[in-house]
Amino acid sequence: MTFQVFMQHLANGISLGSLYALIAIGYTMVYGILRLINFAHGDIFMIATYVAFYGVMLLGMQLWWIAFPAAIIFTYFFGRLVERAAYRPLRNSPRISVLISAIGVSFLIENLAIVIFGGRPKAFPIPSIFNKIIQIGDVSIVSITFFIPVITLTLLVGLVYFINQTKTGMAMRAVSKDYEAARLMAIDVDKIISLTFGIGSVLAAVGGIMWGLKFPQLVPLMGLMPGLKCFIAAVVGGIGDIRGAVLGGFILGLGEIMLVAFLPALTGYRDAFAFVLLIVILLIKPTGLMGQKLTEKV
Amino acid sequence: MKKGRLVLNIIAIALFIGLLFLFRMTFDSYKMKILNLCGIYIILGLSLNLINGFTGLFSLGHAGFMAVGAYTAGLLTMSPAMKEMNFFMKPIVPFLAEVEWPFFPALLMAGVISALMGFLIGSPVLKLKDDYLAIATLGFSEIIRVIFTNTQSLTNGALGLKGLPIYTNIWWSWGAAIFTILFMVFLIKGSYGKALKAIREDEIAAEAMGINLFKHKVMSFTMGAFFAGIGGALLGNLLGTIDPNMFRFVLTFNILLIVVLGGIGSITGTVISAVVVTVAMEALRVLDETVNLGFVTIQGIPGMRMVIFSILLMIVILFYQQGLMGTKEFTWDWFFNGKGFRKTLKKEVK
């Protein structure tokens, strides 16, 4: 393998890793607060991509800078709606019911999407700014490959600032530490949880739109695989920890690309890589690479 | 079991077999297929209920075990000539090329191989809990599917297997279903069942009572995998074609739907909801098609059926968490005296 080819793979791996990281953060935030795998996260991602697609269809290609933010705002409210409808009524139920509800709402969204958007694949419109080919030496890279890590990093910095420095962020951390105590400190727990879902959905929406720009084919079940993989990224990094989600996302993205690059014979097993990684991590270090050890309360 | 009850049970089963004879004479092949599916889904629902409902382990790996069972039975029962036709990309591995087993041993083998997979997977992952277990079992089921897609000379890869002999008829499917029901009833009534339920209610307390948690969990998981394999094998030999994409997560979801609607932890509930869901899935196909009432035409929307089912599941989860039966079971006392279903321990809500 020549150096150029390796650099090309590396750039691809980093941009895929950033995408995974961005979506994994949404999982990790929700898990940190509710101790719940939000199975619908992948579907929120899918909805965002479709809304962006229809926005561009409606407004025209030139106005993508209106359509994409509009889709992100829509997804923010959609995420909160999902939380309100499927998770809030089960706040005091056993975890297994909440988990089934999460799977149920995920299937509901998928099936609704099949009915509303149709099952036929759609081509995502790519504004020309994301489609330029950039030459660095002998390595040629599509500009979206650069945009993805930059946007991810910007959002990440903003998010870390929000969580660590603002009052709402502090409330979020309090809720994830102890639910009841946070409520006694006059924090509106429901509002904070809803907001967390909203932020997670915004990240999923940004991830979804960039996913569409990178892999421009939309189908109603497109959220399933990335959703599962990003959850795995969150678990590998240590669920509940934002740095962990980013680390997990990069390990997964780079690992997948490098597996195919170095061992072409295993290309068919690309989708299994994430699951093998998950099981290895769960068996060796169940709390993930950066997770803290939880003690079981009797 | 009291002697009178035993007689009643035997009479009920005999009556039911008579009913099957009646169905066989009156139903066309489409209805017979649905009847077969009912029996198969009872097996699958009960096996998932054993793991999820009675032992309280949230497993999402059922589709994987079904795939193992379906492929095992399929490869063992297919005729050598048919295999040669199927494997045109790459010849089949030599030790399977000339094999042609009768259905019963193939079915048992499907269960055994699937149980072996369950044991191998269960031993490491059953250390995990709740949602970690769910995602790990889901991961294994996906890995099985990916492996089956790639092992061209063993499973024929993404092309799948076509021309499986159609051995499954109502005697096989319902015979296996009745066997599964009886097995589950005896298992749950016995000491093992009590131990499993104790683990479901409170692991720490169960361990303190001297129950070997790990052994019982692995046992429940392995038995669940065994019956899932049998169900998968029956399904494969009913449909005649199998391919790896059949065994996606959606299949596990359908079985989970049956278990949740029937009541997590009720054999009776699972049996009823397996039949109702299977029949309704077919009956509601009307929703996908255009209906012409003569004076007005209702435009069918493809895919509407699954939306209705998803909404139904959400309503049950949000408003009737106990499902149809909760953890209650059918008893003859209730049947004769209407004294209410036998009350079993309610699941503690934490």
Side-chain angles (χ1 to χ4, degrees):
Chain A
M1 184 180 295
T2 61
F3 181 69
Q4 281 87 355
V5 177
F6 178 75
M7 288 310 281
Q8 209 119 26
H9 283 307
L10 192 67
N12 265 331
I14 288 173
S15 86
L16 186 65
S18 322
L19 271 180
Y20 283 158
L22 201 57
I23 304 164
I25 293 170
Y27 271 113
T28 240
M29 284 176 75
V30 168
Y31 192 90
I33 283 195
L34 278 183
R35 302 270 171 263
L36 156 80
I37 303 176
N38 183 12
F39 266 97
H41 200 63
D43 303 298
I44 290 172
F45 158 99
M46 175 269 295
I47 293 281
T49 323
Y50 266 99
V51 172
F53 167 80
Y54 281 107
V56 172
M57 288 290 117
L58 209 68
L59 296 171
M61 199 64 143
Q62 273 70 45
L63 292 176
W64 62 269
W65 49 273
I66 298 179
F68 288 0
I72 293 169
I73 292 166
F74 175 87
T75 317
Y76 172 78
F77 288 107
F78 185 73
R80 294 184 70 154
L81 177 76
V82 169
E83 192 273 333
R84 180 74 193 80
Y87 300 139
R88 193 177 296 180
L90 297 174
R91 202 53 52 84
N92 297 316
S93 308
R95 275 175 86 180
I96 217 159
S97 315
V98 189
L99 205 55
I100 296 171
S101 172
I103 298 173
V105 79
S106 153
F107 269 80
L108 179 59
I109 296 173
E110 276 164 22
N111 287 318
L112 273 176
I114 291 172
V115 169
I116 297 169
F117 304 137
R120 208 172 295 156
K122 290 185 165 54
F124 196 78
I126 305 176
S128 55
I129 179 170
F130 298 113
N131 216 0
K132 287 204 187 83
I133 301 219
I134 301 170
Q135 287 275 355
I136 306 169
D138 288 332
V139 188
S140 54
I141 292 168
V142 184
S143 58
I144 182 69
T145 315
F146 275 113
F147 276 110
I148 291 173
V150 171
I151 293 173
T152 303
L153 220 62
T154 318
L155 283 173
L156 189 65
V157 170
L159 187 68
V160 170
Y161 173 81
F162 174 74
I163 289 177
N164 287 328
Q165 306 294 331
T166 63
K167 214 165 179 187
T168 323
M170 196 198 280
M172 263 180 186
R173 279 180 290 146
V175 172
S176 76
K177 275 270 183 305
D178 192 330
Y179 214 83
E180 295 299 320
R183 184 167 275 154
L184 291 173
M185 297 296 126
I187 293 170
D188 187 344
V189 172
D190 279 340
K191 209 172 118 192
I192 292 295
I193 291 174
S194 179
L195 183 71
T196 310
F197 264 84
I199 294 174
S201 306
V202 164
L203 296 177
V206 177
I209 291 169
M210 293 201 291
W211 187 279
L213 293 171
K214 196 168 163 56
F215 309 104
Q217 194 197 39
L218 307 189
V219 281
L221 295 181
M222 64 181 279
L224 204 64
M225 250 318 168
L228 282 176
K229 281 184 185 167
C230 293
F231 174 74
I232 292 170
V235 173
V236 167
I239 199 150
D241 186 315
I242 288 180
R243 294 164 307 157
V246 175
L247 179 72
F250 275 104
I251 291 177
L252 201 61
L254 278 171
E256 253 181 37
I257 298 281
M258 291 303 164
L259 176 83
V260 177
F262 284 102
L263 301 164
L266 293 180
T267 308
Y269 291 97
R270 184 180 158 166
D271 281 344
F273 172 75
F275 293 105
V276 173
L277 183 69
L278 168 82
I279 286 157
V280 170
I281 287 285
L282 283 180
L283 295 180
I284 296 171
K285 201 166 183 300
T287 47
L289 293 174
M290 301 187 89
Q292 288 119 12
K293 189 134 185 70
L294 291 173
T295 45
E296 195 178 348
K297 282 180 227 158
V298 180
Chain B
M1 197 183 288
K2 287 179 211 152
K3 212 167 191 181
R5 300 282 176 267
L6 185 68
V7 175
L8 278 173
N9 283 339
I10 290 169
I11 291 174
I13 291 172
L15 271 178
F16 183 75
I17 290 171
L19 204 63
L20 283 184
F21 263 114
L22 198 71
F23 284 148
R24 216 169 87 99
M25 281 189 289
T26 50
F27 279 5
D28 54 25
S29 66
Y30 173 61
K31 282 180 183 157
M32 286 304 288
K33 200 164 191 169
I34 298 172
L35 196 63
N36 274 314
L37 279 177
C38 287
I40 293 169
Y41 272 107
I42 288 176
I43 302 169
L44 295 170
L46 284 176
S47 62
L48 192 67
N49 206 349
L50 175 68
I51 302 173
N52 285 16
F54 289 112
T55 325
L57 305 165
F58 199 62
S59 159
L60 294 177
H62 240 52
F65 297 130
M66 287 173 65
V68 172
Y71 269 95
T72 309
L75 285 169
L76 288 177
T77 52
M78 265 166 99
S79 65
M82 207 64 194
K83 275 177 194 160
E84 210 165 308
M85 268 171 66
N86 263 293
F87 286 80
F88 58 84
M89 295 272 286
K90 244 186 199 176
I92 188 170
V93 282
F95 70 91
L96 279 173
E98 297 301 321
V99 178
E100 192 181 358
W101 288 18
F103 193 43
F104 185 64
L107 197 61
L108 273 185
M109 199 62 190
V112 168
I113 299 260
S114 181
L116 198 67
M117 285 299 293
F119 179 74
L120 288 177
I121 291 170
S123 311
V125 296
L126 286 173
K127 285 184 206 149
L128 307 168
K129 278 191 187 150
D130 294 341
D131 24 20
Y132 283 104
L133 178 67
I135 209 85
T137 45
L138 173 60
F140 264 116
S141 122
E142 284 293 310
I143 290 174
I144 289 175
R145 191 173 62 80
V146 173
I147 289 176
F148 279 11
T149 316
N150 285 291
T151 47
Q152 193 72 41
S153 58
L154 183 66
T155 59
N156 205 19
L159 294 170
L161 300 174
K162 290 179 189 68
L164 268 62
I166 313 287
Y167 281 129
T168 307
N169 52 30
I170 48 168
W171 306 122
W172 281 113
S173 59
W174 279 92
I178 289 171
F179 173 75
T180 314
I181 295 170
L182 291 177
F183 180 86
M184 292 292 166
V185 168
F186 284 116
L187 181 78
I188 296 307
K189 274 191 176 170
S191 67
Y192 279 115
K194 291 198 173 74
L196 297 182
K197 280 195 220 166
I199 293 173
R200 176 186 74 190
E201 301 298 335
D202 192 333
E203 281 195 8
I204 295 163
E207 200 169 20
M209 291 289 128
I211 295 169
N212 186 339
L213 286 188
F214 188 66
K215 188 185 119 190
H216 281 84
K217 281 184 182 178
V218 172
M219 194 189 71
S220 151
F221 199 70
T222 309
M223 283 193 293
F226 176 83
F227 285 107
I230 299 259
L234 287 167
L235 190 65
N237 284 67
L238 174 72
L239 301 177
T241 40
I242 46 176
D243 68 275
N245 270 336
M246 248 173 81
F247 302 99
R248 279 180 176 274
F249 181 48
V250 184
L251 191 60
T252 309
F253 176 74
N254 283 343
I255 302 164
L256 190 67
L257 178 90
I258 288 171
V259 173
V260 173
L261 290 184
I264 302 172
S266 164
I267 296 173
T268 321
T270 304
V271 172
I272 297 172
S273 80
V275 175
V276 170
V277 168
T278 314
V279 172
M281 281 266 193
E282 292 300 325
L284 286 178
R285 272 188 202 280
V286 177
L287 288 172
D288 289 2
E289 290 154 8
T290 305
V291 184
N292 193 351
L293 294 177
F295 55 96
V296 61
T297 316
I298 301 163
Q299 198 68 43
I301 309 164
M304 208 55 203
R305 185 167 63 108
M306 289 314 291
V307 174
I308 301 278
F309 265 100
S310 310
I311 292 174
L312 193 68
L313 179 76
M314 286 311 289
I315 290 173
V316 170
I317 294 166
L318 293 178
F319 303 111
Y320 309 97
Q321 274 183 38
Q322 293 291 307
L324 185 64
M325 300 286 286
T327 50
K328 302 187 203 81
E329 300 287 2
F330 171 84
T331 58
W332 288 112
D333 283 339
W334 169 80
F335 188 72
F336 288 121
N337 309 326
K339 272 198 299 196
F341 287 102
R342 179 165 57 94
K343 293 274 193 301
T344 47
L345 265 175
K346 271 229 177 91
K347 205 173 172 185
E348 197 63 44
V349 176
K350 194 182 163 190

